[in-house]
Amino acid sequence: LLCGCVVSACDRVPGMIAGDAPEWLAARAEPVRLTVSLDTTRSRSKRITPRGGTVSATSENGTRYSLRIPRDGLLSDQVITLTPVTRVDGLPLAGDSFATVHIEPSGLILQKPAMLTIRTREDVPPSEQVAFGYQAAGEDAFLAPILPDERGHVRIPVLHFSGYGYGRAAPDDPGRIALQKTASVRARLISRVSAELSRARQR
């Protein structure tokens, strides 16, 4: 539902930017560029049909990534690949990244959002949990939403493929603001919604 609202809002954005766009949307872009190192030896691929399915991968340190694609999320069969990321450079968060995964085919947009679940040994208070995504190979990083999970896992809704990660930062960490100054309108909308959800979780 969250990602669907963002996508539909994008149809109205061009006119808003030309006129009555809010300040946060019309502000000058200052995109964050990440450099990511992939552990291709631990890549896992699976052909997923429009009926949906799940593909999972595990990093060397035991972090498990699981991407569940719902029925009708794809228009046709696709080979989906998850590749754990061993290092992220350029992330403007004080606590850096605990877990990041690259998802391919890069640039694929789903018809319905998938759910990425990250199982890590890191125990982080909800107020300091922060998720992020990036375009292509690390371009235009943005804030991503974290949804509640009774098991303590991190769940991130995914509509666009490239990379997603999870880290730690204080609620007032400047890096949270930096990740909202994206060049992509869709990413800026997702970042804004993510920031609001984070504030709600903190309350």
Side-chain angles (χ1 to χ4, degrees), residues 158-172:
V158 171
L159 191 65
H160 174 273
F161 283 2
S162 271
Y164 290 86
Y166 161 64
R168 182 173 191 166
D172 59 351

Side-chain angles (χ1 to χ4, degrees), residues 92-109:
L93 299 174
D96 211 350
S97 168
F98 293 139
T100 304
V101 65
H102 191 77
I103 308 175
E104 295 175 294
S106 180
L108 178 67
I109 297 178

Side-chain angles (χ1 to χ4, degrees), residues 1-200:
L1 179 59
L2 167 68
C3 291
C5 290
V6 169
V7 171
S8 61
C10 285
D11 295 333
R12 301 190 294 273
V13 164
M16 290 175 59
I17 292 178
D20 58 352
E23 182 179 351
W24 61 267
L25 186 57
R28 181 171 63 91
E30 298 178 21
V32 172
R33 173 71 167 87
L34 306 178
T35 300
V36 297
S37 301
L38 307 182
D39 186 356
T40 55
T41 64
R42 292 184 173 269
S43 293
R44 295 294 182 269
S45 300
K46 187 175 182 180
R47 181 174 294 277
I48 306 295
T49 73
R51 292 192 298 273
T54 301
V55 56
S56 301
T58 303
S59 69
E60 185 177 10
N61 67 7
T63 299
R64 182 171 176 80
Y65 305 94
S66 181
L67 182 71
R68 182 177 60 81
I69 298 176
R71 176 179 289 274
D72 298 326
L74 296 170
L75 291 176
S76 60
D77 291 9
Q78 292 280 351
V79 175
I80 308 299
T81 301
L82 300 188
T83 303
V85 173
T86 59
R87 178 170 175 171
V88 179
D89 291 319
L91 187 66
L93 299 174
D96 211 350
S97 168
F98 293 139
T100 304
V101 65
H102 191 77
I103 308 175
E104 295 175 294
S106 180
L108 178 67
I109 297 178
L110 301 175
Q111 304 303 303
K112 293 181 179 179
M115 187 62 67
L116 174 65
T117 301
I118 302 177
R119 300 174 178 87
T120 177
R121 297 188 179 95
E122 299 291 343
D123 185 15
V124 180
S127 63
E128 297 182 15
Q129 294 176 353
V130 56
F132 62 91
Y134 59 79
Q135 317 281 346
E139 290 84 6
D140 209 14
F142 57 91
L143 276 183
I146 295 179
L147 301 185
D149 186 284
E150 60 185 15
R151 298 163 298 178
H153 301 321
V154 174
R155 296 195 306 148
I156 304 172
V158 171
L159 191 65
H160 174 273
F161 283 2
S162 271
Y164 290 86
Y166 161 64
R168 182 173 191 166
D172 59 351
D173 190 301
R176 292 178 182 261
I177 300 299
L179 288 171
Q180 296 180 52
K181 298 180 180 180
T182 67
S184 162
V185 170
R186 176 180 283 111
R188 192 170 291 203
L189 287 166
I190 292 175
S191 293
R192 183 67 177 187
V193 172
S194 302
E196 293 299 327
L197 285 175
S198 178
R199 281 190 279 271

